[in-house]
Amino acid sequence: MPITNQKVTEHAFLQPLYVDDFFPDRVVDKGREILLRLCERIEAEQPVDLQALYVLTEAATEQFNLLEAEFEAAGSEIETVAREEIGEDFWFVASAYGFSDADPEELIAAREW
């Protein structure tokens, strides 16, 4: 399903990670795909409140938890810079879909990184 939210289609997800050689592009690409799938789910399911949104972001956060092993296998990790950028992009997604009052920490509460 193509994403219709113009803010999202114009956004460069995880951009600072792409310019830092510590983060392998092929793994960052998978993180970007997680965020895009989150956007697709939001558009398809249209959560009516923050609790419904948090269910969707929890699932995406758990996918990032699994991606941590791929970062480590590539000699990288989800460390401070990556953690902040991922968190900011989760908040960007929430805001782009009208949930600017979302708690940034709650969006990624299931994180293990």
Side-chain angles (χ1 to χ4, degrees), residues 15-52:
Q15 190 58 41
L17 304 187
Y18 282 108
V19 297
D20 188 331
D21 290 337
F22 181 68
F23 306 104
D25 286 354
R26 63 183 169 73
V27 183
V28 176
D29 286 345
K30 292 180 180 185
R32 181 179 168 276
E33 289 301 316
I34 292 169
L35 291 164
L36 290 172
R37 282 193 306 272
L38 171 61
C39 294
E40 290 171 352
R41 284 194 68 192
I42 291 171
E43 290 191 14
E45 298 180 26
Q46 299 183 4
V48 295
D49 59 20
L50 282 174
Q51 292 310 311

Side-chain angles (χ1 to χ4, degrees), residues 5-110:
N5 184 305
Q6 187 174 356
K7 289 180 185 176
V8 171
T9 60
E10 294 175 353
H11 185 71
F13 286 102
L14 305 177
Q15 190 58 41
L17 304 187
Y18 282 108
V19 297
D20 188 331
D21 290 337
F22 181 68
F23 306 104
D25 286 354
R26 63 183 169 73
V27 183
V28 176
D29 286 345
K30 292 180 180 185
R32 181 179 168 276
E33 289 301 316
I34 292 169
L35 291 164
L36 290 172
R37 282 193 306 272
L38 171 61
C39 294
E40 290 171 352
R41 284 194 68 192
I42 291 171
E43 290 191 14
E45 298 180 26
Q46 299 183 4
V48 295
D49 59 20
L50 282 174
Q51 292 310 311
L53 176 68
Y54 293 150
V55 169
L56 300 179
T57 62
E58 179 178 353
T61 301
E62 289 171 356
Q63 293 172 9
F64 269 102
N65 289 344
L66 298 173
L67 193 58
E68 171 69 8
E70 291 190 47
F71 273 103
E72 290 176 359
S76 184
E77 64 181 310
I78 299 179
E79 44 74 73
T80 304
V81 171
R83 203 170 26 251
E84 289 178 9
E85 185 60 29
I86 294 166
E88 286 176 18
D89 274 346
F90 268 85
W91 191 86
F92 166 81
V93 168
S95 179
Y97 287 101
F99 294 97
S100 58
D101 56 341
D103 180 332
E105 288 300 316
E106 187 65 29
L107 290 169
I108 56 174

